[in-house]
Amino acid sequence: MQREEKQLELSLEALISQVADLKNSLVSFIYKLENEYDRLTWPSVLDSFALLSGQLNTLNKVLKHEKTPLLRNQVIIPLVLSPDRDEEIMRQTEGRVPVFSHEVVPDHLRTKPDPEVEEQEKQLITDAARISPDVAQKQIQSLNKMCSNLLEKISKEERESESGGLRQNKQTFNPADTNALVAAVAFGKGLSNRRPPGSGGSVQSGQPGAGAIIAGASGMQQVPMSGAPAQQQPMLAGVQMAQAGQPGKMPTGIKTNIKSAAMHPYQR
């Protein structure tokens, strides 16, 4: 008898410890939901659910352990009922039960669900018994198919989301090359100072309309205008030329430079 009482006491201590851990996890999760809902993320919620599920499984293992006595065979009888405030019960229940009277005893010492819950459970059992095995199997297959389609859609959305994030985060340029290009364009960094071949040569003579080229000046080609003589007039670089032989027109002063055909096309 003493051994059974000691075993029951050890089992109750283990159950109280497991229930206390479960209660602390529930309190922490409820606190997050009520006070940190704006910063709460879905992975954190899943972690909290996983912790609660693991603690419930551990509690069930303790209850089903072979050394744990059948608690259903134990009877709890209230010895003292009082409408007065009990400080010891307040401490044990953390302020949830101030008194241990006839009003609260049926709720706290009940070993069965509420009558309404029992009626609903009986109704569900009756409805399940009316379904034939073939119909039940079809319903199970239909439910499994719906769950599989839903899981497939969720997995597809996750893959597309991950691929989209990878495409957005993928770098499509080389920062070093970009910086070198900006430095070359803006400051001429890394560019060669060598002049192209033939830049220092003399202008070939013997060509009509050829003149000396002034460094830094851009070449312009004379285009014949309508009504003007088709014969090209000789032009000298940097010399103001007047249009003659055209009565009724004001002479225009245009400074032009003719580029020699032997010059490099990109030389300035």
Side-chain angles (χ1 to χ4, degrees):
M1 190 68 182
Q2 292 180 355
R3 188 173 57 126
E4 291 180 358
E5 289 181 357
K6 187 176 181 180
Q7 188 175 1
L8 177 61
E9 195 173 320
L10 293 175
S11 300
L12 288 176
E13 289 180 357
L15 288 175
I16 290 173
S17 175
Q18 294 295 330
V19 171
D21 294 340
L22 181 60
K23 185 198 73 172
N24 293 332
S25 299
L26 283 172
V27 169
S28 176
F29 184 49
I30 292 173
Y31 178 82
K32 288 181 180 178
L33 291 177
E34 292 180 350
N35 299 282
E36 299 179 1
Y37 58 89
D38 54 342
R39 302 188 303 272
L40 198 62
T41 59
W42 182 242
S44 176
V45 174
L46 293 180
D47 293 340
S48 299
F49 275 119
L51 178 61
L52 293 174
S53 177
Q55 291 175 343
L56 286 174
N57 290 332
T58 305
L59 183 61
N60 289 329
K61 288 181 181 179
V62 173
L63 290 173
K64 295 178 181 179
H65 198 270
E66 58 182 5
K67 293 183 178 180
T68 302
L70 293 176
L71 299 179
R72 68 181 62 182
N73 297 332
Q74 305 296 325
V75 180
I76 300 176
I77 300 175
L79 300 177
V80 178
L81 296 177
S82 173
D84 299 332
R85 185 185 181 90
D86 193 337
E87 296 297 334
E88 181 64 21
I89 294 180
M90 285 281 292
R91 186 182 65 82
Q92 292 289 339
T93 60
E94 296 181 355
R96 292 189 297 272
V97 182
V99 295
F100 198 67
S101 62
H102 64 282
E103 295 181 358
V104 298
V105 164
D107 294 331
H108 292 284
L109 298 184
R110 180 185 288 128
T111 57
K112 289 185 176 181
D114 293 336
E116 295 83 2
V117 177
E118 286 185 347
E119 289 295 330
Q120 293 180 2
E121 186 177 359
K122 289 180 181 179
Q123 184 66 30
L124 291 174
I125 293 173
T126 305
D127 294 342
R130 293 176 182 174
I131 300 176
S132 62
D134 296 337
V135 176
Q137 189 65 26
K138 290 181 180 180
Q139 291 181 356
I140 291 173
Q141 293 177 357
S142 177
L143 181 61
N144 290 335
K145 185 177 180 180
M146 292 174 60
C147 293
S148 300
N149 293 336
L150 183 60
L151 289 174
E152 185 177 356
K153 289 182 179 180
I154 293 175
S155 301
K156 183 179 179 180
E157 291 292 335
E158 290 180 352
R159 289 193 299 268
E160 291 179 356
S161 174
E162 291 177 358
S163 61
L166 291 176
R167 285 196 299 268
Q168 291 179 359
N169 297 330
K170 186 177 180 180
Q171 193 172 9
T172 57
F173 65 94
N174 189 350
D177 295 343
T178 303
N179 294 333
L181 181 60
V182 172
V185 173
F187 307 106
K189 184 178 179 181
L191 298 181
S192 176
N193 294 327
R194 294 185 304 171
R195 297 177 64 86
S199 60
S202 59
V203 181
Q204 295 181 1
S205 59
Q207 298 180 358
I213 298 177
I214 302 176
S218 60
M220 296 182 61
Q221 183 178 2
Q222 186 179 8
V223 180
M225 303 297 292
S226 59
Q231 183 180 2
Q232 294 185 354
Q233 297 180 356
M235 293 180 294
L236 297 178
V239 180
Q240 183 177 358
M241 302 295 296
Q243 294 181 355
Q246 298 180 1
K249 293 186 179 181
M250 294 295 295
T252 58
I254 302 176
K255 296 182 179 181
T256 58
N257 293 324
I258 291 183
K259 195 179 214 184
S260 174
M263 295 302 297
H264 195 277
Y266 297 101
Q267 181 188 356
R268 290 188 174 183

